[in-house]
Amino acid sequence: MNGCPFAGNLYNFNKLSLEDEKDDKSQEGINKASKGGLVYGDYLQLNKILNAQELQSEKKGNKIHDEHLFIVTHQAYELWFKQILWEMDSVRVIFQNGHVRDERNMLKVITRMNRISMILKLLVEQFSVLETMTALDFFDFRYYLSPASGFQSLQFRLLENKIGVPQSLRVPYNRRHYRDNFKGQDYELLLKSEQEPTLLQLVEAWLERTPGLDAEGFDFWGQFEVNVLKGLEEEFALVQAKPESEEKDDLLSEFQKQKEALLSLFDEKRHEHLLSKGERRLSYKALKGALMIYFYREEPRFQVPFQLLTSLMDIDVLMTKWRYNHVCMVHRMIGSKAGTGGSSGYHYLRSTVSDRYKVFVDLFNLSTFLVPRHWIPKMNPTIHKFLYMAEYCDSSYFSSDDSD
């Protein structure tokens, strides 16, 4: 028996008959490109992009194969950084111009923030492509790169600034301010980005306008504090009613920790102190707004804001993963050697993988203040109705070129 499954007439791969060709809908298109005009390669400027890989090793007369991969991967990173900045700037403009007050624009904001997250996921995974190159492969051409360094990526520094990495918390680069490593127009662009409203500041101002925070209205914060105090008293009574035992001692210890954490939430002076130390990022009022959105996220008007807060945390997580993957790759490739730009290499990069570079750290900490659902204040009819209605401007707004 012939082992080939295609032997004989089991499968018929005969050419379509002329009659079949006439009825083939897949061939009914028109080749518009044959008539001239813009074509794919010109539209994407592929001649520039595909000829931008200049191997330093080849210029020095010692062409190293893997340098091409190194260049292409980093060029891809920079293109994606450009797209992230494009999306980030558009979101910042929506907030800055007050267009976010029209809640129909929140979908646009969420879409673009989610797009940034998807790009960052791709960039985190992209390290695996570089890691197909061994340390020895990299060593073959690393000498030719100096003093070029990834730290000199202007777009990544702009991204950090525009998101809201605090200047006071940046790790010094060789005991100098990070901006001192840039000159001319690059230096000016970085300085400008530090002076513009950051995404963190814009989100903070937006959170401070959360409906229901005002004392003369729903007064979420006042009611929440009353409920927390009452709930803590009830929990303490339950623990105290238990017979003396080691378990009771453990429960009392846990209760005390929970009490201290929850009561610290209502200490505005403590919040301001932590803010001055860089351990908090949002204003006290913005933190209240974020927690209110967190608790009432199922209400129609808070569903999209909750998605935004979630997407901001996603971006922070992915940026941290990107830094971590970068650290691991550098450690694998050069060990504890100095970086090509003169930094301490792995040791410097490792110091950047911490909460000091996490912009929306306050949103992560909201989980510290979760309480039983019955402690959350019940909404009065006015605020309940309000959270069922979206706020929007005149529809003619959407015909404006300023919508972006």
Side-chain angles (χ1 to χ4, degrees):
M1 178 178 177
N2 194 322
C4 178
F6 304 107
N9 293 319
L10 184 59
Y11 294 95
N12 187 356
F13 290 108
N14 291 331
K15 189 176 183 295
L16 290 172
S17 66
L18 291 176
E19 184 177 346
D20 290 335
E21 286 181 346
K22 290 178 182 178
D23 295 333
D24 185 4
K25 302 294 184 181
S26 69
Q27 301 300 313
E28 290 184 358
I30 300 173
N31 185 7
K32 293 183 179 180
S34 63
K35 299 179 181 180
L38 186 67
V39 294
Y40 181 80
D42 294 340
Y43 176 67
L44 295 179
Q45 299 286 292
L46 292 182
N47 187 51
K48 294 179 182 178
I49 295 173
L50 299 181
N51 287 287
Q53 295 74 43
E54 190 174 78
L55 277 64
Q56 292 300 305
S57 60
E58 186 175 18
K59 289 178 68 177
K60 299 295 192 299
N62 183 31
K63 183 178 178 180
I64 305 298
H65 177 85
D66 280 5
E67 188 183 356
H68 192 276
L69 171 69
F70 188 82
I71 293 173
V72 168
T73 305
H74 283 79
Q75 287 176 337
Y77 271 124
E78 291 296 332
L79 282 172
W80 282 123
F81 288 158
K82 184 172 184 178
Q83 185 63 36
I84 291 173
L85 288 169
W86 177 264
E87 304 296 346
M88 183 77 65
D89 284 343
S90 73
V91 169
R92 287 167 60 240
V93 167
I94 291 173
F95 274 100
Q96 280 180 274
N97 292 347
H99 292 166
V100 75
R101 291 177 182 271
D102 188 318
E103 295 180 6
R104 289 174 295 186
N105 279 319
M106 287 303 293
L107 179 60
K108 188 183 294 182
V109 170
I110 290 294
T111 299
R112 293 175 185 178
M113 295 305 291
N114 285 339
R115 184 177 295 160
I116 291 173
S117 291
M118 293 304 295
I119 294 171
L120 285 170
K121 285 180 181 178
L122 181 66
L123 299 189
V124 168
E125 292 300 320
Q126 191 166 290
F127 281 105
S128 61
V129 179
L130 265 183
E131 287 170 348
T132 62
M133 178 174 61
T134 68
L136 187 58
D137 294 331
F138 181 51
F139 184 80
D140 287 340
F141 65 88
R142 183 174 182 258
Y143 170 79
Y144 300 114
L145 307 182
S146 185
S149 165
F151 183 86
Q152 298 157 6
S153 170
L154 172 66
Q155 292 194 117
F156 191 75
R157 303 304 155 206
L158 289 172
L159 177 58
E160 290 177 326
N161 289 345
K162 293 184 178 192
I163 290 178
V165 172
Q167 299 303 314
S168 60
L169 295 182
R170 277 186 175 275
V171 178
Y173 187 79
N174 292 345
R175 296 185 175 85
R176 297 175 63 190
H177 192 277
Y178 87 99
R179 208 187 321 114
D180 292 342
N181 292 275
F182 296 85
K183 298 178 181 179
Q185 186 179 6
D186 289 354
Y187 183 95
E188 295 302 321
L189 284 171
L190 288 169
L191 187 61
K192 180 184 176 184
S193 69
E194 292 174 18
Q195 297 165 347
E196 294 173 347
T198 66
L199 182 63
L200 172 65
Q201 291 169 334
L202 295 167
V203 168
E204 178 184 66
W206 169 72
L207 284 171
E208 288 175 347
R209 299 196 302 269
T210 303
L213 291 180
D214 295 333
E216 60 272 17
F218 175 49
D219 190 18
F220 160 72
W221 203 246
Q223 291 191 56
F224 182 51
E225 183 175 8
V226 169
N227 287 6
V228 166
L229 291 172
K230 181 182 177 183
L232 287 172
E233 287 179 3
E234 292 172 352
E235 282 203 354
F236 181 70
L238 289 173
V239 175
Q240 281 289 70
K242 293 182 178 293
E244 295 298 326
S245 65
E246 187 176 336
E247 180 187 3
K248 180 179 179 179
D249 292 339
D250 290 341
L251 289 172
L252 284 171
S253 177
E254 286 300 315
F255 170 80
Q256 190 60 34
K257 291 176 184 176
Q258 180 194 25
K259 180 180 178 181
E260 289 175 3
L262 288 174
L263 293 185
S264 71
L265 190 57
F266 305 104
D267 187 344
E268 186 172 356
K269 288 184 178 179
R270 181 176 181 275
H271 179 91
E272 295 301 327
H273 175 65
L274 293 173
L275 201 59
S276 67
K277 290 173 62 180
E279 294 180 26
R280 293 272 173 90
R281 304 284 198 275
L282 295 172
S283 70
Y284 192 55
K285 189 172 184 180
L287 185 69
K288 294 178 184 179
L291 195 61
M292 186 174 178
I293 291 170
Y294 209 82
F295 282 146
Y296 300 104
R297 59 189 178 276
E298 294 173 356
E299 298 299 326
R301 199 167 186 174
F302 278 169
Q303 289 175 7
V304 174
F306 178 72
Q307 290 178 46
L308 175 58
L309 298 187
T310 301
S311 71
L312 293 172
M313 287 191 286
D314 289 342
I315 289 173
D316 251 344
V317 167
L318 289 165
M319 289 285 284
T320 302
K321 286 182 177 180
W322 189 90
R323 292 181 193 279
Y324 179 74
N325 281 11
H326 188 204
V327 170
C328 290
M329 187 195 69
V330 168
H331 199 194
R332 171 184 292 194
M333 293 295 179
I334 67 171
S336 57
K337 291 190 185 84
T340 50
S343 75
S344 58
Y346 163 71
H347 298 289
Y348 167 76
L349 292 173
R350 187 178 63 179
S351 68
T352 67
V353 185
S354 66
D355 281 356
R356 65 196 301 159
Y357 281 89
K358 194 180 287 182
V359 177
F360 297 97
V361 65
D362 291 341
L363 301 182
F364 290 85
N365 288 333
L366 290 180
S367 297
T368 308
F369 311 114
L370 292 182
V371 296
R373 285 182 182 268
H374 65 275
W375 290 19
I376 300 171
K378 301 294 182 185
M379 290 184 291
N380 59 39
T382 302
I383 189 68
H384 192 261
K385 180 180 179 181
F386 183 76
L387 293 180
Y388 262 83
M389 298 170 61
E391 184 177 357
Y392 58 90
C393 307
D394 187 272
S395 59
S396 61
Y397 159 80
F398 286 96
S399 64
S400 169
D401 292 334
D402 297 332
S403 63
D404 273 354

